[in-house]
Amino acid sequence: MPRRTRNWKKLPAGLSAAHRDLVQMLRRLRDCSHKTQVEIARSGFLVASSLSNHLNGGRIPDEPQVRAFYKAIRKEFESIGADLADLPCSLEELLELRRLARIQHCACVPHDEEPKAPAVPDDAPALPVFQPLPGRVSRQPRRLRRQPMQRRTVSRHVLRRASARPPVPVPLPEGDRPRTGYSQAADWTELEVLMDFLADGRHRDAGLLLWRAGRTLSPAELLQAVSSCRSAGQEDAAEAVLTSVTERADKQAVLNIVAAFQHAGRAEDVAFLLTAAQSTS
């Protein structure tokens, strides 16, 4: 299958040689596809903004993201009957490039061999216990925190009581009322991945996915993620995303997220965010 010609952005100067090799291979695979980046992300159950970040050297993708991206490209090849030998690398070779990039990229990962499951960051939040889906047997999730002194956590019930607000005495004019409801209910591309984790009893992976979502997604994507979790009946998952938002180092970004939820008419989520921010400060 002929490759498309793209004008890629120049890679950041601070990338290691191993990280550059990984990004160049990801770009070569991307050039094999005639789909848009959003279509590739949807096919691999990825977040389009995260995929763009990986292709521009922003950060090293997690192993499940690498596998999903490769399988999406391979699936397109198979759908048109193209020869898989035309792909620039195998999945094993791509994963090896990622492993080398993690070892060399000392600015963001330790110099060690990573386990199969992603490592738990030191500042990861205390994660809720998720309810298994009907018909599935779930293992009790292991405790993630290992430090002798654990950071204070607040239960979602306490946060709800603390964030309860009396009704606004004077209603807003009809034209200025923010929209309510969850119009983004089914738009989060990683919802299916989350539900698969929960169905298989992989609560640790589910918790890390939610923690990463709260720490990395844009305000619009966070609205989609929280709405999708609630539409799927995963209230604890939605609150885990909101809690991890408040742990961002960039407080201006947190304020922008709060403003986006306020504009969308999500007063309860805004109150939850503000209360959680006060509790973790």
Side-chain angles (χ1 to χ4, degrees):
M1 183 171 65
R3 298 182 181 179
R4 298 180 63 182
T5 302
R6 292 182 178 83
N7 295 322
W8 290 103
K9 293 182 181 179
K10 185 178 180 180
L11 293 178
L15 290 189
S16 66
H19 192 178
R20 286 179 177 273
D21 290 341
L22 172 63
V23 175
Q24 294 293 354
M25 185 59 72
L26 291 174
R27 288 181 171 183
R28 289 178 62 189
L29 284 167
R30 169 68 181 93
D31 287 339
C32 291
S33 173
H34 287 264
K35 292 184 177 180
T36 66
Q37 211 137 284
V38 173
E39 291 172 336
I40 294 176
R42 186 181 300 114
S43 176
F45 303 106
L46 299 168
V47 176
S49 59
S50 298
L51 178 58
S52 177
N53 193 25
H54 300 152
L55 292 171
N56 288 301
R59 65 180 297 273
I60 299 174
D62 296 331
E63 180 176 329
Q65 295 173 316
V66 174
R67 290 181 178 274
F69 172 69
Y70 187 90
K71 289 179 180 178
I73 301 298
R74 187 178 64 188
K75 181 179 178 181
E76 182 181 351
F77 256 60
E78 293 173 342
S79 67
I80 62 174
D83 188 356
L84 295 180
D86 290 338
L87 289 173
C89 69
S90 66
L91 176 58
E92 290 72 21
E93 291 170 335
L94 186 62
L95 292 174
E96 177 64 13
L97 287 176
R98 176 187 173 275
R99 186 188 70 82
L100 294 174
R102 284 184 61 87
I103 294 176
Q104 296 297 326
H105 206 262
C106 56
C108 63
V109 294
H111 287 245
D112 58 3
E113 196 75 28
E114 62 167 342
K116 291 295 182 180
V120 180
D122 292 336
D123 58 341
L127 301 173
V129 177
F130 296 100
Q131 296 296 328
L133 295 179
R136 297 293 186 113
V137 178
S138 172
R139 300 191 305 268
Q140 183 68 18
R142 297 168 57 186
R143 297 185 62 183
L144 303 183
R145 307 291 295 182
R146 295 184 178 178
Q147 294 91 340
M149 294 184 63
Q150 297 185 1
R151 187 177 55 194
R152 176 183 54 173
T153 59
V154 183
S155 71
R156 60 190 180 93
H157 302 292
V158 173
L159 286 172
R160 281 176 173 173
R161 289 197 301 269
S163 61
R165 293 183 176 181
V168 179
V170 180
L172 294 173
E174 185 68 28
D176 294 336
R177 290 180 183 174
R179 293 175 298 168
T180 58
Y182 302 116
S183 59
Q184 306 93 345
D187 292 340
W188 190 35
T189 57
E190 293 198 2
L191 177 63
E192 186 169 344
V193 178
L194 172 66
M195 300 302 290
D196 287 343
F197 282 161
L198 298 180
D200 294 335
R202 298 169 61 185
H203 303 293
R204 184 173 184 269
D205 292 337
L208 287 172
L209 186 151
L210 296 169
W211 177 83
R212 185 176 67 242
R215 294 293 296 266
T216 61
L217 295 185
S218 67
E221 291 170 336
L222 283 167
L223 281 166
Q224 295 172 351
V226 172
S227 298
S228 298
C229 289
R230 290 213 166 105
S231 297
Q234 295 294 332
E235 290 289 331
D236 286 343
E239 291 175 2
V241 174
L242 292 173
T243 301
S244 61
V245 166
T246 63
E247 297 188 355
R248 295 194 181 196
D250 186 355
K251 298 307 178 185
Q252 183 59 50
V254 176
L255 293 177
N256 293 341
I257 293 169
V258 171
F261 275 80
Q262 179 67 36
H263 180 71
R266 308 281 280 276
E268 183 179 355
D269 290 338
V270 171
F272 188 98
L273 283 167
L274 295 177
T275 307
Q278 294 174 357
S279 301
T280 56
S281 59

